Amino acid sequence: MNDLGLPNPELLHARGEEQKVFHENAAQAVRSHFGPNVFVRAVVEISNYCRENCAYCGMRRSNKALKRFRIQADQLAELLIHHRPASVTDVNIQAGEDPIAVREVAIPLIRALRRETQLGISVCLGSLSQNLYAELKEAGATLYIIKFETANPARYAEMESPGTFTARIENIRNLAANGWRISSGFIAGLPGHTNEDLLKNFALARDLPLDGCSVSPFIPGDETPLSTAPLGDIDLTLNCMAALRLMRPGWVIPSVSALNLAEPGSGYCRSLRTGANLVTINLTPSEVRGDYLLYKRDRFIMTEERILSAIAAEGLTASKQSLAEFYSARKVNGSHVPAARDLVVQKPASC
Ligand code: SAM
């Protein structure tokens, strides 16, 4: 890190021994804050309707070939209340930008989960009105996931990312000012991106009121104008992740499913050695998963078995504490001390 708390630009392109040491430092930073604990959440993708037109995303409104769906709240409530995997402590509710799904699916689902379970609840539902944000919060969600995608406003506009760059950043600040915990993020390797763009992502992440941040490799998505663009580089993405971890050792940094597409078989596990401390089990009903077209129609679904074996392979353990509990403990204490019961290392398995 330099004097401004930003990563050294050369390190973002490190390879070989230099990269190994860099990643080990990031892994050490996350372990010294969180011990061997990795948060385990579930995601449910409730709607693929989207009023936005992001060039990188298959759910963009111009994709007329996509069969659109909205799931019933009670179907998901039944699944999450009675049939969720035992390791799940939190649920993330995600969708295209679809205010109807927010009203008709997300809010009733959050109310049911709040009534019936202790699950922490996060949402990733895009840029919405202040009223909808307030209703989501009142229903019981505490963490909002809203990525800034790229810190370069011109690239943001060129990619037709949601609304305007200025409004997205204002949204992030307003949500935080209204008591939400915020996780943001950016895409590494967006077509046309420069080294300068890459560094700007860190300066923006550093300056925003965030509790966590992700970095995802760019995936040339099926049925998008960028389907033939080059895939984001896995090493660059993991170097960005390590740099985020060293910049903010106390952040929650997710291991995103796109890592499996950028480096099939090992991308996901490598992120657990590079500073990630949150994994996600996909519980979207199988009949609609293929139409939640984030990247490719052929999705690599992270099941509980895959997630737990990836965690165990790295000698880590599934956190018993939910993300929501972690954040509220931090609010009171100012820093997080892992509970002794969480500090049990499982026997390594294969990844
Ligand atoms: N609609 C909501 C929003 O805009 O925040 C949430 C869902 S959106 C589909 C989730 C995230 O997927 C986006 O913020 C973007 O970073 C990511 N994404 C979509 N397509 C991608 C691609 N081809 N490569 C990498 N990330 C992508």
Side-chain angles (χ1 to χ4, degrees):
M1 296 290 138
N2 66 19
D3 294 348
L4 301 170
L6 294 172
N8 168 347
E10 287 88 63
L11 263 187
L12 296 178
H13 300 281
R15 296 289 185 276
E17 191 55 29
E18 189 187 26
Q19 184 186 41
K20 190 165 163 261
V21 172
F22 180 32
H23 290 188
E24 280 167 3
N25 287 340
Q28 211 167 17
V30 66
R31 298 289 93 82
S32 69
H33 258 76
F34 294 89
N37 303 297
V38 177
F39 295 106
V40 180
R41 73 178 169 196
V43 64
V44 283
E45 295 148 337
I46 63 170
S47 161
N48 68 351
Y49 283 91
C50 191
R51 62 184 177 186
E52 295 295 344
N53 213 30
C54 309
Y56 39 81
C57 182
M59 294 190 293
R60 64 204 308 268
R61 65 170 184 270
S62 295
N63 184 2
K64 304 292 182 211
L66 187 63
K67 194 168 148 228
R68 305 281 170 168
F69 71 83
R70 270 185 208 110
I71 306 182
Q72 296 288 312
D74 47 4
Q75 181 190 350
L76 292 173
E78 166 71 18
L79 170 78
L80 292 168
I81 294 167
H82 299 294
H83 306 288
R84 67 179 181 274
S87 55
V88 166
T89 57
D90 296 78
V91 172
N92 177 33
I93 300 171
Q94 196 187 109
E97 203 171 286
D98 178 15
I100 296 176
V102 176
R103 273 187 219 100
E104 294 181 0
V105 187
I107 292 171
L109 177 61
I110 295 167
R111 291 208 173 107
L113 294 177
R114 202 50 318 120
R115 238 181 0 252
E116 306 284 340
T117 76
Q118 302 286 314
L119 290 165
I121 302 171
S122 55
V123 289
C124 179
L125 299 167
S127 304
L128 304 171
S129 67
Q130 296 306 318
N131 282 350
L132 274 184
Y133 287 145
E135 278 184 59
L136 286 163
K137 187 149 181 286
E138 183 273 329
T142 57
L143 172 70
Y144 209 100
I145 301 167
I146 178 162
K147 304 189 192 185
F148 59 78
E149 318 291 7
T150 166
N152 178 338
R155 185 91 47 235
Y156 190 94
E158 195 181 292
M159 289 289 140
E160 300 181 70
S161 293
T164 63
F165 176 78
T166 309
R168 189 82 161 178
I169 299 301
E170 230 173 76
N171 246 328
I172 293 175
R173 293 193 188 283
N174 285 338
L175 283 161
N178 286 315
W180 286 91
R181 294 292 178 157
I182 306 289
S183 182
S184 193
F186 62 92
I187 303 175
L190 268 179
H193 88 131
T194 62
N195 256 335
E196 202 190 335
D197 289 350
L198 201 60
L199 284 172
K200 277 188 183 159
N201 290 325
F202 290 91
L204 182 57
R206 178 199 59 188
D207 295 344
L208 286 172
L210 306 183
D211 299 283
C213 190
S214 67
V215 51
S216 179
F218 165 71
I219 307 292
D222 285 350
E223 298 168 41
T224 71
L226 302 175
S227 61
T228 56
L231 177 71
D233 183 81
I234 183 78
D235 285 293
L236 177 70
T237 309
L238 294 174
N239 288 351
C240 287
M241 188 179 283
L244 283 174
R245 175 55 69 200
L246 290 168
M247 188 172 95
R248 291 284 184 269
W251 269 354
V252 174
I253 298 183
S255 182
V256 297
S257 61
L259 293 163
N260 274 326
L261 295 168
E263 190 175 78
S266 54
Y268 204 83
C269 282
R270 281 181 74 194
S271 69
L272 293 174
R273 279 170 239 148
T274 321
N277 64 334
L278 165 63
V279 291
T280 307
I281 298 174
N282 191 304
L283 293 185
T284 304
S286 54
E287 61 275 18
V288 294
R289 261 179 210 159
D291 291 321
Y292 196 80
L293 191 56
L294 257 190
Y295 313 120
K296 302 277 178 195
R297 279 212 169 262
D298 195 10
R299 295 183 70 183
F300 185 87
I301 294 296
M302 295 308 287
T303 58
E304 185 185 38
E305 197 189 344
R306 281 179 174 150
I307 288 285
L308 294 184
S309 68
I311 293 177
E314 300 306 323
L316 303 173
T317 193
S319 173
K320 305 267 186 306
Q321 186 187 41
S322 70
L323 264 178
E325 287 167 339
F326 164 73
Y327 283 135
S328 67
R330 193 160 67 166
K331 191 153 54 184
V332 175
N333 302 334
S335 70
H336 172 67
V337 181
R341 71 193 160 113
D342 292 342
L343 296 173
V344 182
V345 181
Q346 288 180 351
K347 222 170 111 232
S350 61
C351 181

